Amino acid sequence: MASTVKASTLNILVKEEITLNGKKHEYRQEQSIPNVNMISQRIVRVPYTGTEIILSFGSAVGAGTYIAGDVKYIRVTNLDNTNFVKLGLLDSGAGDRAYFKLEKGDTMVFHNTKLDAKESTSGAFVAFADIESINARADTGDVDIEVFVASSQSN
């Protein structure tokens, strides 16, 4: 059976506005990502007593697992009004790890699954590797986050 899903374009808008000293400052950037034929949008409860894997990247698509090279856009939004979330981007093969603090109500966006994280003592940049997973852990109470993934699934 052939899929009836027709690829489409994901449109992204970043807009900033502020008035300082009576002068309005604005920034607006629009981006289009063509050939998106798979999206996933879900709300995940992140515990503060343990770490929750929210996304995995591998060679086959499965529940919460995506083909790294097909992923075009990832958005993670902290829906909590009190607690922050620690996001971990992990590539265990290369031993790379990066952690980000996602404050209450904040959003973080990734446009690919590439990572190279080195300590200052381990040398200069060598090459990007694919993230194997993104995990999350809440601060002092369980937190809900929204996860949106857009992909150009080839299989």
Side-chain angles (χ1 to χ4, degrees):
M1 175 173 96
S3 175
T4 60
V5 175
K6 296 188 187 317
S8 189
T9 299
L10 172 66
N11 295 305
I12 302 162
L13 171 65
V14 175
K15 183 178 179 182
E16 302 161 353
E17 293 180 6
I18 188 169
T19 301
L20 289 176
N21 201 29
K23 182 176 181 187
K24 188 174 185 178
H25 301 268
E26 293 183 57
Y27 175 79
R28 178 185 174 110
Q29 179 187 4
E30 295 182 50
Q31 180 181 14
S32 297
I33 301 173
N35 302 318
V36 172
N37 62 4
M38 196 276 310
I39 61 166
S40 173
Q41 183 175 11
R42 61 192 176 110
I43 294 176
V44 178
R45 173 81 31 100
V46 176
Y48 74 96
T49 56
T51 301
E52 180 76 21
I53 296 175
I54 59 171
L55 295 170
S56 295
F57 306 97
S59 58
V61 175
T65 302
Y66 305 87
I67 297 172
D70 291 348
V71 173
K72 305 299 179 199
Y73 180 84
I74 301 167
R75 176 182 52 81
V76 181
T77 300
N78 182 349
L79 301 175
D80 201 78
N81 61 3
T82 305
N83 295 300
F84 69 83
V85 172
K86 179 176 71 173
L87 285 183
L89 283 65
L90 309 158
D91 171 21
S92 59
D96 294 337
R97 288 170 163 56
Y99 295 95
F100 298 92
K101 184 178 183 182
L102 190 60
E103 293 284 0
K104 62 181 182 178
D106 282 354
T107 295
M108 190 164 281
V109 172
F110 303 95
H111 289 271
N112 58 56
T113 60
K114 300 297 184 188
L115 173 68
D116 183 48
K118 303 283 186 222
E119 292 183 28
S120 61
T121 59
S122 64
F125 172 81
V126 177
F128 286 109
D130 283 316
I131 297 168
E132 291 177 7
S133 65
I134 298 177
N135 65 32
R137 183 174 187 154
D139 176 32
T140 58
D142 292 352
V143 169
D144 291 331
I145 62 173
E146 183 176 62
V147 180
F148 178 88
V149 179
S151 177
S152 294
Q153 187 173 320
S154 55
N155 301 353

